[in-house]
Amino acid sequence: MELKEIFDFFKANSAKLATFFVFGFFLGLVIYGILPSKYISSGTLFVGRAVSDSEDFYAYSGFYDQQTALSFTRTVKGLLEDKNLYAEVLTELKEDVTEKNLRDLRKKIKVKNSGAQTLSVEIRANSMEETKTIWNTLIRKTTETVELANSKSNEKLFIQKLNSEVWSRKITHYPLIFGSIGGLFFMGIGTFLIGLKTYFSKNLEEIK
C-alpha cells in the first residue's frame, strides 16, 4: 500500500476512526476511575564492613573490607528477595504462610541496587499503613537475620537505614494518560477492522 492510499484511507474514514478514539478515550477514563489507589513506601539501606582502628583503608586489609562489603551487598539483596524471609514477615504480620500469600507479598516488594553499597527497597500496596508496616517488618527481619549470621562468622558486616523514617506517598496516575491510551488502542482496532472490511469488499468487487 502506497503512502497516498494510506492517506486516502484515513481521510475517507476519519469520522469512524474519531468515533473509535472517543469511545476508547472515555473507556480509559472509566478504567482510571475504578482502579484502586496505590501507595508506596521506600527507603535505602547501606551495607558496610566496619574497619578497625589499626586498619588503613588503603592497606590490603582495608581494601579487603570494602570488597567484602560489596559482596555482602549482593547477599543482602538476595536475602530481601528470599521466600523464607517473606514467610517470617507474614508470620510477624499474623497472616497465613501460604504460597498465594507469599506470591502476593513478593509482588509488593521491589529491591534494586542504588549504589555500590546501597539498596533501595520499595513496597507497593493498597494502603499507606500497609506499605509502612510491611517495609518496617521486612527491614527488621532482614537486620535480625544478618546479625544472627554475623554472630557466627564476621561481626564487622552491618546494614544500616539511611533514612530516619520510611518515605510514604500515594502513587499518582493521570486520567488523560489512561484516556489517550484507551483512545489510541481502540482507534488501532478500528483501523484494523475498517481496513479488513475495505480489503474484502474490494476483492469481492474484483471477483464480480
Side-chain angles (χ1 to χ4, degrees), residues 18-188:
T19 302
F20 274 98
F21 179 86
V22 171
F23 176 78
F25 185 87
F26 280 103
L27 184 61
L29 293 181
V30 171
I31 293 174
Y32 166 81
I34 63 177
L35 282 177
S37 297
K38 286 287 185 180
Y39 297 85
I40 181 172
S41 287
S42 61
T44 303
L45 299 179
F46 175 76
V47 182
R49 186 175 191 269
V51 182
S52 64
D53 295 336
S54 61
E55 292 176 332
D56 183 359
F57 175 81
Y58 295 101
Y60 172 78
S61 57
F63 173 77
Y64 171 75
D65 287 335
Q66 299 305 312
Q67 293 300 109
T68 303
L70 290 174
S71 176
F72 189 57
T73 303
R74 293 191 293 270
T75 301
V76 174
K77 185 176 185 293
L79 183 61
L80 286 164
E81 297 172 337
D82 183 63
K83 184 185 292 187
N84 295 313
L85 183 69
Y86 293 167
E88 293 185 21
V89 172
L90 287 173
T91 301
E92 185 80 9
L93 297 175
K94 294 181 172 54
E95 294 185 21
D96 295 332
V97 181
T98 63
E99 284 297 324
K100 181 181 182 304
N101 286 343
L102 287 170
R103 285 196 301 270
D104 290 343
L105 181 60
R106 177 68 190 91
K107 292 176 183 177
K108 296 174 182 177
I109 300 171
K110 183 178 181 181
V111 183
K112 61 181 180 180
N113 291 86
S114 55
Q117 292 178 235
T118 55
L119 296 170
S120 172
V121 183
E122 293 182 353
I123 309 295
R124 296 171 183 254
N126 293 331
S127 73
M128 190 174 295
E129 187 61 33
E130 183 183 6
T131 61
K132 288 182 180 180
T133 301
I134 295 176
W135 197 93
N136 288 319
T137 304
L138 176 66
I139 300 307
R140 185 172 69 255
K141 283 297 179 182
T142 302
T143 303
E144 291 174 359
T145 303
V146 168
E147 289 176 349
L148 178 62
N150 284 342
S151 67
K152 299 177 181 179
S153 56
N154 193 332
E155 296 183 0
K156 291 182 179 180
L157 293 170
F158 67 88
I159 59 174
Q160 180 180 346
K161 291 188 292 184
L162 293 184
N163 48 309
S164 56
E165 292 185 5
V166 61
W167 178 32
S168 302
R169 65 274 189 197
K170 184 179 180 179
I171 299 176
T172 303
H173 295 296
Y174 299 98
L176 288 179
I177 294 178
F178 277 78
S180 299
I181 292 174
L184 291 173
F185 178 74
F186 273 88
M187 192 171 72

